[in-house]
Amino acid sequence: MSKYSALFEDEDDVFLGSPTSKLMDIMFNANNDVVRFDLENFMKKRAAMELLLEEHLGEDFLSKVDQFIVSNQDEVGTKLKSLSIELMGEIVSKSE
């Protein structure tokens, strides 16, 4: 477990769930236009990253990504939580 995991997994956490599950709650309850806008931006970034990876790692980059996930589970999990919190913040701040 990484040194940052405790930051996101405090049992007294105000989120009362994982950041990813709370993100889903917010996405289903927030302003639909805001969620669509932020998801579209997220997908554009994902598309750009995939194109960059394909350019630098070749067409089989997805298998390399899968291997990276398996080899770096803690770091990937921490980054997933961080990205979920970031997207949550963007959606909530625009929905107020």
Side-chain angles (χ1 to χ4, degrees):
M1 187 175 279
S2 87
K3 64 183 178 180
Y4 299 106
S5 294
L7 174 67
F8 299 112
E9 296 298 331
D10 184 0
E11 64 185 47
D12 295 325
D13 193 352
V14 295
F15 291 124
L16 299 175
S18 73
T20 303
S21 69
K22 198 58 180 171
L23 171 62
M24 295 301 155
D25 291 342
I26 287 171
M27 289 174 66
F28 289 120
N29 292 299
N31 179 298
N32 199 353
D33 291 333
V34 170
V35 173
R36 287 174 188 250
F37 176 80
D38 284 328
L39 278 177
E40 185 176 332
N41 283 338
F42 181 85
M43 294 304 293
K44 283 179 187 176
K45 289 178 184 178
R46 164 79 190 250
M49 285 186 247
E50 284 200 14
L51 289 169
L52 283 168
L53 284 172
E54 184 176 348
E55 184 178 308
H56 292 283
L57 298 177
E59 289 188 22
D60 67 336
F61 76 93
L62 286 176
S63 65
K64 294 175 184 174
V65 169
D66 289 338
Q67 290 170 0
F68 183 87
I69 291 169
V70 170
S71 299
N72 300 280
Q73 289 181 9
D74 289 343
E75 292 84 358
V76 172
T78 299
K79 188 64 173 179
L80 173 62
K81 292 172 189 174
S82 177
L83 288 172
S84 295
I85 291 169
E86 180 182 333
L87 185 53
M88 234 187 306
E90 289 175 20
I91 292 169
V92 169
S93 68
K94 291 176 189 164
S95 295
E96 295 178 343

